[in-house]
Amino acid sequence: STDWIWPWSYNKCDRALQKQQEINACEPNPHYGLGSSTGRGAPEIDLLEAMPGDETLNYGLQKPYFSASYQVAPGKLHDRPVEGKLPYRGQWYSKGLKFGANTTLNAFFYGTTLKHPKKGQTYIADAISANRHLHETHFDDFHTWRLEWSTKEGQQSIRWYLDNEFIFQVLPETLDMTGANMPDEPMHILLNTAVSSTWGFPAPCPAGCTCECFDCGNPKCACGMPQGMCANLPAYYEIDYVRVYQDMEDNSHKIGCSTDSKPTKRFIQGHLDRYYDYFNNERQ
């Protein structure tokens, strides 16, 4: 369901990008109740993504840390920074960015390439992201994580906070590099635990282990687990509360996933097969 939709936030007609953005501004007469010549998509705002560990990375960043990110397409096509190295001046997004104490640019994930077999449909998604060091208390005690997301014209911004301490900021001018937009699509909140090969797992396969399986309860499979990980299991992800506030005097704040200015219902109904969970035999 996310191909050519995630994480687009772009409202210009660019013929070079038209095949990569399914709902693009080059289409004057779209179907499914979508607006004429209006680019749509599903950008992503990451409140936090935690990286475990205890080593110090090559530019002084010490694990564990969490990343606060805005993931958006189109991405920067050429002269991209090398992952693991800080960009040189002017190579990466910088305008409008602001970092809080103990917070640095995330140089370990600049985005991803979404490859497709058809010519012209492969595209790049950028991650405009900051890392903030964590301590044991962030894993043992409750803390307050906050995102302030303003869609009001002339006041658009995304700001992250941890225990009322400012962490990171993205403003519209940040996106001048690619012409992407600040997020203004209806979004849902997802709070989950996940394990990823690009996010701390698996560790490099040790000698004498096939790493064909990963299971702490099976000696043949436990050898491929990152050091110390099995000792942390079972682990628990506890959430005390989630609160969402909207400004009643701001007309840009809407409720629902299909609003008058951003309709989605008929598009989803017309592409239901994309939204089935085939891995769990879902067909309706």
Side-chain angles (χ1 to χ4, degrees), residues 123-140:
Y123 62 96
I124 294 174
D126 283 343
I128 306 170
S129 181
N131 290 330
R132 202 272 196 187
H133 182 58
L134 294 175
H135 301 279
E136 287 187 13
T137 178
H138 294 108
F139 295 90
D140 296 335

PDB file of all heavy atoms in Angstrom, residues 123-140:
ATOM      1  N   TYR A 123      12.708   5.575  -6.538  1.00  0.00           N
ATOM      2  CA  TYR A 123      12.854   6.927  -5.993  1.00  0.00           C
ATOM      3  C   TYR A 123      13.542   6.887  -4.635  1.00  0.00           C
ATOM      4  O   TYR A 123      13.702   5.843  -4.019  1.00  0.00           O
ATOM      5  CB  TYR A 123      11.509   7.640  -5.902  1.00  0.00           C
ATOM      6  CG  TYR A 123      10.478   7.012  -4.989  1.00  0.00           C
ATOM      7  CD1 TYR A 123      10.312   7.444  -3.673  1.00  0.00           C
ATOM      8  CD2 TYR A 123       9.628   6.000  -5.449  1.00  0.00           C
ATOM      9  CE1 TYR A 123       9.344   6.885  -2.850  1.00  0.00           C
ATOM     10  CE2 TYR A 123       8.656   5.442  -4.631  1.00  0.00           C
ATOM     11  CZ  TYR A 123       8.520   5.898  -3.323  1.00  0.00           C
ATOM     12  OH  TYR A 123       7.564   5.339  -2.512  1.00  0.00           O
ATOM     13  N   ILE A 124      13.962   8.071  -4.195  1.00  0.00           N
ATOM     14  CA  ILE A 124      14.697   8.220  -2.937  1.00  0.00           C
ATOM     15  C   ILE A 124      13.825   8.940  -1.919  1.00  0.00           C
ATOM     16  O   ILE A 124      13.149   9.922  -2.243  1.00  0.00           O
ATOM     17  CB  ILE A 124      16.003   9.013  -3.164  1.00  0.00           C
ATOM     18  CG1 ILE A 124      16.951   8.213  -4.061  1.00  0.00           C
ATOM     19  CG2 ILE A 124      16.680   9.345  -1.840  1.00  0.00           C
ATOM     20  CD1 ILE A 124      18.200   8.986  -4.459  1.00  0.00           C
ATOM     21  N   ALA A 125      13.830   8.432  -0.703  1.00  0.00           N
ATOM     22  CA  ALA A 125      13.176   9.091   0.421  1.00  0.00           C
ATOM     23  C   ALA A 125      14.253   9.563   1.383  1.00  0.00           C
ATOM     24  O   ALA A 125      15.168   8.810   1.720  1.00  0.00           O
ATOM     25  CB  ALA A 125      12.214   8.131   1.125  1.00  0.00           C
ATOM     26  N   ASP A 126      14.164  10.806   1.828  1.00  0.00           N
ATOM     27  CA  ASP A 126      15.158  11.372   2.735  1.00  0.00           C
ATOM     28  C   ASP A 126      14.687  11.299   4.178  1.00  0.00           C
ATOM     29  O   ASP A 126      13.485  11.377   4.461  1.00  0.00           O
ATOM     30  CB  ASP A 126      15.447  12.829   2.377  1.00  0.00           C
ATOM     31  CG  ASP A 126      16.338  12.953   1.156  1.00  0.00           C
ATOM     32  OD1 ASP A 126      16.978  11.959   0.779  1.00  0.00           O
ATOM     33  OD2 ASP A 126      16.393  14.061   0.579  1.00  0.00           O
ATOM     34  N   ALA A 127      15.642  11.176   5.088  1.00  0.00           N
ATOM     35  CA  ALA A 127      15.377  11.247   6.524  1.00  0.00           C
ATOM     36  C   ALA A 127      16.097  12.471   7.073  1.00  0.00           C
ATOM     37  O   ALA A 127      17.333  12.505   7.113  1.00  0.00           O
ATOM     38  CB  ALA A 127      15.851   9.980   7.227  1.00  0.00           C
ATOM     39  N   ILE A 128      15.334  13.481   7.451  1.00  0.00           N
ATOM     40  CA  ILE A 128      15.879  14.674   8.091  1.00  0.00           C
ATOM     41  C   ILE A 128      15.786  14.402   9.581  1.00  0.00           C
ATOM     42  O   ILE A 128      14.704  14.424  10.162  1.00  0.00           O
ATOM     43  CB  ILE A 128      15.092  15.925   7.677  1.00  0.00           C
ATOM     44  CG1 ILE A 128      15.049  16.029   6.148  1.00  0.00           C
ATOM     45  CG2 ILE A 128      15.716  17.177   8.285  1.00  0.00           C
ATOM     46  CD1 ILE A 128      14.088  17.085   5.643  1.00  0.00           C
ATOM     47  N   SER A 129      16.928  14.144  10.205  1.00  0.00           N
ATOM     48  CA  SER A 129      16.891  13.435  11.476  1.00  0.00           C
ATOM     49  C   SER A 129      17.965  13.917  12.441  1.00  0.00           C
ATOM     50  O   SER A 129      19.041  14.365  12.030  1.00  0.00           O
ATOM     51  CB  SER A 129      17.067  11.932  11.197  1.00  0.00           C
ATOM     52  OG  SER A 129      17.030  11.167  12.363  1.00  0.00           O
ATOM     53  N   ALA A 130      17.652  13.798  13.732  1.00  0.00           N
ATOM     54  CA  ALA A 130      18.598  14.157  14.789  1.00  0.00           C
ATOM     55  C   ALA A 130      18.684  13.019  15.800  1.00  0.00           C
ATOM     56  O   ALA A 130      17.708  12.300  16.029  1.00  0.00           O
ATOM     57  CB  ALA A 130      18.164  15.445  15.484  1.00  0.00           C
ATOM     58  N   ASN A 131      19.863  12.867  16.412  1.00  0.00           N
ATOM     59  CA  ASN A 131      20.071  11.858  17.443  1.00  0.00           C
ATOM     60  C   ASN A 131      20.314  12.516  18.789  1.00  0.00           C
ATOM     61  O   ASN A 131      21.036  13.520  18.883  1.00  0.00           O
ATOM     62  CB  ASN A 131      21.288  10.982  17.109  1.00  0.00           C
ATOM     63  CG  ASN A 131      21.033  10.084  15.920  1.00  0.00           C
ATOM     64  OD1 ASN A 131      19.905   9.681  15.661  1.00  0.00           O
ATOM     65  ND2 ASN A 131      22.085   9.768  15.186  1.00  0.00           N
ATOM     66  N   ARG A 132      19.729  11.910  19.817  1.00  0.00           N
ATOM     67  CA  ARG A 132      19.910  12.410  21.184  1.00  0.00           C
ATOM     68  C   ARG A 132      20.295  11.244  22.082  1.00  0.00           C
ATOM     69  O   ARG A 132      19.654  10.192  22.058  1.00  0.00           O
ATOM     70  CB  ARG A 132      18.611  13.056  21.658  1.00  0.00           C
ATOM     71  CG  ARG A 132      18.773  14.066  22.793  1.00  0.00           C
ATOM     72  CD  ARG A 132      18.720  13.410  24.152  1.00  0.00           C
ATOM     73  NE  ARG A 132      18.488  14.387  25.204  1.00  0.00           N
ATOM     74  CZ  ARG A 132      18.528  14.092  26.500  1.00  0.00           C
ATOM     75  NH1 ARG A 132      18.805  12.844  26.884  1.00  0.00           N
ATOM     76  NH2 ARG A 132      18.296  15.017  27.402  1.00  0.00           N
ATOM     77  N   HIS A 133      21.360  11.424  22.872  1.00  0.00           N
ATOM     78  CA  HIS A 133      21.856  10.355  23.732  1.00  0.00           C
ATOM     79  C   HIS A 133      20.832   9.994  24.805  1.00  0.00           C
ATOM     80  O   HIS A 133      20.102  10.846  25.309  1.00  0.00           O
ATOM     81  CB  HIS A 133      23.163  10.792  24.388  1.00  0.00           C
ATOM     82  CG  HIS A 133      23.789   9.743  25.249  1.00  0.00           C
ATOM     83  ND1 HIS A 133      24.151   8.505  24.771  1.00  0.00           N
ATOM     84  CD2 HIS A 133      24.085   9.732  26.574  1.00  0.00           C
ATOM     85  CE1 HIS A 133      24.664   7.792  25.751  1.00  0.00           C
ATOM     86  NE2 HIS A 133      24.634   8.501  26.855  1.00  0.00           N
ATOM     87  N   LEU A 134      20.765   8.701  25.136  1.00  0.00           N
ATOM     88  CA  LEU A 134      19.875   8.201  26.178  1.00  0.00           C
ATOM     89  C   LEU A 134      20.687   7.640  27.347  1.00  0.00           C
ATOM     90  O   LEU A 134      21.862   7.291  27.191  1.00  0.00           O
ATOM     91  CB  LEU A 134      18.968   7.096  25.621  1.00  0.00           C
ATOM     92  CG  LEU A 134      17.955   7.510  24.554  1.00  0.00           C
ATOM     93  CD1 LEU A 134      17.232   6.284  24.016  1.00  0.00           C
ATOM     94  CD2 LEU A 134      16.950   8.518  25.106  1.00  0.00           C
ATOM     95  N   HIS A 135      20.032   7.541  28.503  1.00  0.00           N
ATOM     96  CA  HIS A 135      20.649   6.981  29.706  1.00  0.00           C
ATOM     97  C   HIS A 135      19.791   5.825  30.209  1.00  0.00           C
ATOM     98  O   HIS A 135      18.698   5.556  29.686  1.00  0.00           O
ATOM     99  CB  HIS A 135      20.785   8.070  30.783  1.00  0.00           C
ATOM    100  CG  HIS A 135      21.593   9.245  30.355  1.00  0.00           C
ATOM    101  ND1 HIS A 135      22.972   9.256  30.371  1.00  0.00           N
ATOM    102  CD2 HIS A 135      21.217  10.468  29.868  1.00  0.00           C
ATOM    103  CE1 HIS A 135      23.419  10.422  29.929  1.00  0.00           C
ATOM    104  NE2 HIS A 135      22.371  11.180  29.611  1.00  0.00           N
ATOM    105  N   GLU A 136      20.282   5.130  31.227  1.00  0.00           N
ATOM    106  CA  GLU A 136      19.553   3.978  31.754  1.00  0.00           C
ATOM    107  C   GLU A 136      18.142   4.354  32.178  1.00  0.00           C
ATOM    108  O   GLU A 136      17.215   3.560  32.019  1.00  0.00           O
ATOM    109  CB  GLU A 136      20.316   3.382  32.944  1.00  0.00           C
ATOM    110  CG  GLU A 136      21.569   2.626  32.560  1.00  0.00           C
ATOM    111  CD  GLU A 136      22.189   1.918  33.743  1.00  0.00           C
ATOM    112  OE1 GLU A 136      21.512   1.814  34.797  1.00  0.00           O
ATOM    113  OE2 GLU A 136      23.342   1.467  33.630  1.00  0.00           O
ATOM    114  N   THR A 137      17.972   5.560  32.716  1.00  0.00           N
ATOM    115  CA  THR A 137      16.651   5.963  33.191  1.00  0.00           C
ATOM    116  C   THR A 137      15.619   5.989  32.076  1.00  0.00           C
ATOM    117  O   THR A 137      14.434   5.770  32.311  1.00  0.00           O
ATOM    118  CB  THR A 137      16.727   7.352  33.864  1.00  0.00           C
ATOM    119  OG1 THR A 137      15.409   7.748  34.279  1.00  0.00           O
ATOM    120  CG2 THR A 137      17.251   8.403  32.895  1.00  0.00           C
ATOM    121  N   HIS A 138      16.052   6.207  30.839  1.00  0.00           N
ATOM    122  CA  HIS A 138      15.107   6.240  29.724  1.00  0.00           C
ATOM    123  C   HIS A 138      14.563   4.852  29.384  1.00  0.00           C
ATOM    124  O   HIS A 138      13.562   4.732  28.683  1.00  0.00           O
ATOM    125  CB  HIS A 138      15.766   6.862  28.489  1.00  0.00           C
ATOM    126  CG  HIS A 138      16.106   8.312  28.669  1.00  0.00           C
ATOM    127  ND1 HIS A 138      17.398   8.748  28.814  1.00  0.00           N
ATOM    128  CD2 HIS A 138      15.315   9.409  28.760  1.00  0.00           C
ATOM    129  CE1 HIS A 138      17.405  10.057  28.966  1.00  0.00           C
ATOM    130  NE2 HIS A 138      16.161  10.483  28.937  1.00  0.00           N
ATOM    131  N   PHE A 139      15.228   3.820  29.887  1.00  0.00           N
ATOM    132  CA  PHE A 139      14.762   2.452  29.669  1.00  0.00           C
ATOM    133  C   PHE A 139      14.072   1.874  30.904  1.00  0.00           C
ATOM    134  O   PHE A 139      13.335   0.895  30.804  1.00  0.00           O
ATOM    135  CB  PHE A 139      15.945   1.557  29.269  1.00  0.00           C
ATOM    136  CG  PHE A 139      16.570   1.920  27.962  1.00  0.00           C
ATOM    137  CD1 PHE A 139      17.616   2.837  27.901  1.00  0.00           C
ATOM    138  CD2 PHE A 139      16.100   1.372  26.773  1.00  0.00           C
ATOM    139  CE1 PHE A 139      18.195   3.183  26.684  1.00  0.00           C
ATOM    140  CE2 PHE A 139      16.675   1.712  25.557  1.00  0.00           C
ATOM    141  CZ  PHE A 139      17.719   2.620  25.510  1.00  0.00           C
ATOM    142  N   ASP A 140      14.321   2.492  32.058  1.00  0.00           N
ATOM    143  CA  ASP A 140      13.781   1.947  33.308  1.00  0.00           C
ATOM    144  C   ASP A 140      12.604   2.721  33.873  1.00  0.00           C
ATOM    145  O   ASP A 140      11.828   2.180  34.663  1.00  0.00           O
ATOM    146  CB  ASP A 140      14.891   1.910  34.376  1.00  0.00           C
ATOM    147  CG  ASP A 140      16.026   0.960  34.007  1.00  0.00           C
ATOM    148  OD1 ASP A 140      15.762   0.013  33.240  1.00  0.00           O
ATOM    149  OD2 ASP A 140      17.152   1.176  34.491  1.00  0.00           O
TER     150      ASP A 140
END
